Amino acid sequence: MPTAPQNTDELYQALEENDRLPYGRTRTVTAEELVDAAEQLAEPVPLVHALFELQEAYTYGSEPRKSPVVFARLLNLFDEQPDVFDERRRHTLFWRFKWVADALRVLPEIPLAGLRQWLTEMRDRYEKAGLGLQPYYGQAYQLAAHIGEGTTLAYELWAGRSRTGLSDCEACEICERALYHLAAGDDERALNDWEPVLAGKESCQEEPARSVSYALLPLLRSGRVDRARELHLAGYRNCRRNPSMSGEVGRHLEFCALTGNEARGLELLAENRNLFGEVESPLDLFDFLTGAEVLLQRVESLGHGELPAAGYAGRTWTVAGLRAEVRGRADDLAARFDARNGTTAHTDRRRARLDRAPLVDALELTLRTRGLDEVAPAAPVAAPAARTAAEVPESLPELILRARTLDEQGHPDARACWAKLRTLAASRDYAHPDDPAVGPLARLRADLLSDEASRTGEKDEFAEAAALHEEAAGLYEDAGAPGDAAVARACALLAAAEIPAEIPAEIPAEGAEGAEGAEGAGSADGADGAGGAAVKAAALASAHAAMVRLHEEASGLAPHQEARLLRLRATALGMRLQTSGDEAHVAPVLAEADLLLAFATRHELGGQISGALLLRATTHALSGDLPAAVTVIDGVRDRLKAHGPAWHLPRTLALRGRIQLGLRDAQAAQADLAEGLRLAADWPADVVDTARLHADLAEVCMHLGRPDEALRHLTRSAELELRRGSRTDAYCAYSNAAQLCLDLGRVEDCIALLDSLLAEPDVAAGEVDDRLVAQLRLTRARALHTGEDLKAATTEFVALAAESARWDDDPGSHVMIAAETAVLLGESGEFGRAREAAEQAIAAHARAPRYEQLSGCLRELARLQAERQGPEGLADALARLADAGRIADEARAAEYEAQGRSLDTALAYEHGRVNAYAGEYEDALAALEKALALLGGPTPEKGEDHAGEWAECLRLTAAVEGIYLERPAPALNRLDAAVSRLTALGHTEEAEPLSSLANRLRDGG
């Protein structure tokens, strides 16, 4: 707190501001300071308010030991100055007797007699004040349930009484009743009781998150698996990292352990690592640790005790080590509670949880379903192959020669040989064979560097790949292998040309991303714009020229080496065409492909023959000649089926599928891609690019109207990219998957997926492109908004707006983010901050116009303010519409055409609504009539959407005229004419609201 409040007004303002903060140390410390400030004012009422705020901060900030101390001060004030407590403050005081009972119960150091003494105090105070005792009996039941004795009688004494104004809220009482039936083994009755809370009809500060965490296992046991999955995703999000809900987090960890989601459980445990040190409530900590132990025990039982796990700060933990630590602490807490209570209830409950067997073999909880084998940090691995790979030779000379032979052929099994050789060569006792056929150690080191460079380039780490290729070339020369050195240098030239220019991409507008954007959004190297494309095309042309010189100067090349140089030359020009799209660049690619094809045919190099033909087909496709591309690709497919190499077939079918999609034959594309995916299972995923096959299938499925299937392919593509280390491509694919989830209405799936991605170590460490991470966060914020978590969505948007304001190279994205932020702040009622965000958007718009987005933002802000504030908000609302009017003027001058209705029409309509909300009905009517004139009446050519907009505008016009201005006759004339016109055009659905309003006016209403 910058400065202490100097008077009561400042104190109340500070209390109000602190109340908006999330519970935690920041809010608690400020509340403590505000109590000190209130004491200096020497006025009892402000002090009471400050103490109430402090007790609330302690209660929901998981500091139960301090809450009773604050309440004792309040109770003394009440006894000494009862007149200070008006009806509302008195109600709050008596309500919080329950908070103290809860706080004392969770502390094992408080004797049982002390708990009962407090309940007696509560009962006596309630009786003296003439208050009903149902809240007291509720606390007595909760103590009995905690101890594990006398539960039935205590429940009946509580549940049979009528509620009072001081009873716990409906949601909390529902949870207590359900837990009573759950403890009795009656899952169905418990779930029936819980339904209003689980369905969102009853809620409070702790609910439905508390009920959800308890209901997960009963839902599984009763076969309601999908419901359990849905509630886990939503419920976990509402309690994660929250010390006051650590018990709930523990039950979500247990749920993961019992549904085959142990890897997700470890991920959630890492996300909640703060709870090991921040939970001050021993009972909540006991629940959390027991849930964590259920998870850790399950992981260890599956043979993964050595996996890393997130635990207490100050050291690193394995699953086994953390489990032992957690077990000791939880056992100690159980023993302390049982010793205090004189029962074995907590030890028994803990044992029951630890003894539970898994309830489901494998429940797919999120779109990132991963096994424990994928949790351990390791080198990327290929997907299991159905084909049996060739045996890797045991003899070192044979292994080296076999690796080189396979590499010359481009055979996928070469990688396994190189991997084994890399391990052998790195060992201290490695002895290189003295064999002329194998060559010197320098040559083997060059081979290994060349393989590493190729794999590095596949991860888009082009600068490092170029350096590795150059280093390999030097070693080849030292080893007397000039042909291999020439190939390595050509590879270095191509890799260097692919290093992206530093021209970042804009973040797309809402709704712009989906499965069809298969290359992803916000990628650092995905869309450099015209300037970046020109730079890259020039770099590729220079690389090609250098390769030609290199080729001409090389001598003594073996056929496979010369073919590789020709292939690299053709590839450089093909990539230039792909980058530039320039028709003049087509013929050079085809000429190089013909050179390669002729050479490969003459020397019977099957892999290079198919490579040349694939390059021809790709070039025809890029130039727009799809029929020619189909002819070539069909020939390649037939040749590969007859003569091989078989590992080229998946890529060939993938290309054929993309060409068929270009020809608008999605069914044929799906057949080719599905067959390619089936054949790809025989080969390592990174060699045949299985990830691209899945991405292409996602696009095809969207064309076929199968978005759920597209989503599965997108997530599979992303996970494969992640496995092979292409993390940027993986995050782009996941970004598209998240947007598709949101488009499909799968909000919780979207949020869970993005939460998982944003928790990845490289994202958290800031090692991923900041614009790509911003895109992930932006989609998450939109999902939170769609899921009606306005507070969380607004917080994220405000943070993104602050970050995007610093993107000097991309003001357009800041316009979009600031505009959306302004609308959310308006929905939250914070119109001052909303105006500031809108002004930021307007300033950025001057540099990068976004007419439609900004106009929509300003109009929506105006509507919100007029709707919520009425006449008092009219001036500010009209100011926002004036801003929107200037944007419309700019758009008109720039000859910008809106995608839907014109900006002028939308502005006139909003003027009508804003004035109507503020009670200025004549101005509203004039504005709406203008909007109707701008829209123009419905016609067969304008379509259904226009008819709907016109009908709604006319309905509002008639309502203002007939109801608020009390002119029913002209309003009825409008409505009757409109109904006739719409009906004649077949728009009966659009006419129904107008007929309903007309009937209302005729009835005098």
Side-chain angles (χ1 to χ4, degrees), residues 169-409:
C169 73
E170 289 278 7
C172 287
E173 289 204 345
I174 284 171
C175 185
E176 291 300 335
R177 288 196 297 271
L179 289 175
Y180 173 77
H181 297 308
L182 188 63
D186 193 343
D187 284 354
E188 281 301 322
R189 189 166 180 184
L191 291 170
N192 287 337
D193 279 353
W194 260 319
E195 186 52 35
V197 176
L198 300 183
K201 297 175 183 177
E202 299 288 348
S203 63
C204 69
Q205 179 70 36
E206 298 175 342
E207 296 290 352
R210 181 168 179 251
S211 289
V212 163
S213 72
Y214 281 110
L216 294 174
L217 299 188
L219 285 167
L220 286 180
R221 289 193 291 261
S222 63
R224 288 169 243 190
V225 175
D226 289 340
R227 182 78 165 129
R229 175 187 180 276
E230 172 193 338
L231 289 173
H232 163 69
L233 294 178
Y236 169 71
R237 178 165 56 84
N238 290 325
C239 63
R240 62 180 186 158
R241 297 196 292 267
N242 185 346
S244 69
M245 304 203 85
S246 54
E248 284 77 3
V249 172
R251 285 184 282 278
H252 282 281
L253 296 177
E254 181 178 0
F255 176 75
C256 290
L258 300 180
T259 56
N261 286 277
E262 297 85 4
R264 173 169 169 80
L266 291 178
E267 182 181 302
L268 301 191
L269 184 64
E271 188 176 17
N272 290 277
R273 185 174 190 170
N274 65 300
L275 300 183
F276 285 104
E278 294 181 9
V279 179
E280 297 292 334
S281 163
L283 187 59
D284 288 346
L285 184 60
F286 168 78
D287 276 346
F288 169 68
L289 292 178
T290 300
E293 188 180 350
V294 172
L295 170 68
L296 296 167
Q297 173 182 270
R298 175 66 179 161
V299 174
E300 190 172 3
S301 73
L302 293 172
H304 292 279
E306 296 308 310
L307 283 178
Y312 294 93
R315 59 166 285 189
T316 58
W317 296 93
T318 63
V319 165
L322 182 59
R323 181 196 171 197
E325 180 72 19
V326 164
R327 181 174 59 236
R329 296 189 185 221
D331 282 344
D332 177 65
L333 284 169
R336 291 175 63 197
F337 278 114
D338 287 345
R340 191 269 302 274
N341 298 334
T343 66
T344 61
H346 284 78
T347 298
D348 295 343
R349 290 166 189 162
R350 177 169 151 70
R351 178 48 49 201
R353 292 176 71 180
L354 291 168
D355 287 347
R356 281 192 186 114
L359 298 172
V360 180
D361 289 337
L363 171 61
E364 187 174 309
L365 288 181
T366 71
L367 296 171
R368 291 193 74 195
T369 301
R370 293 183 292 171
L372 290 169
D373 290 333
E374 298 171 74
V375 173
V381 295
R387 177 187 64 93
T388 302
E391 292 275 338
V392 176
E394 291 295 330
S395 161
L396 186 56
E398 288 179 13
L399 178 59
I400 295 172
L401 295 174
R402 174 70 171 158
R404 288 172 181 161
T405 300
L406 292 173
D407 197 60
E408 289 172 11
Q409 299 169 357

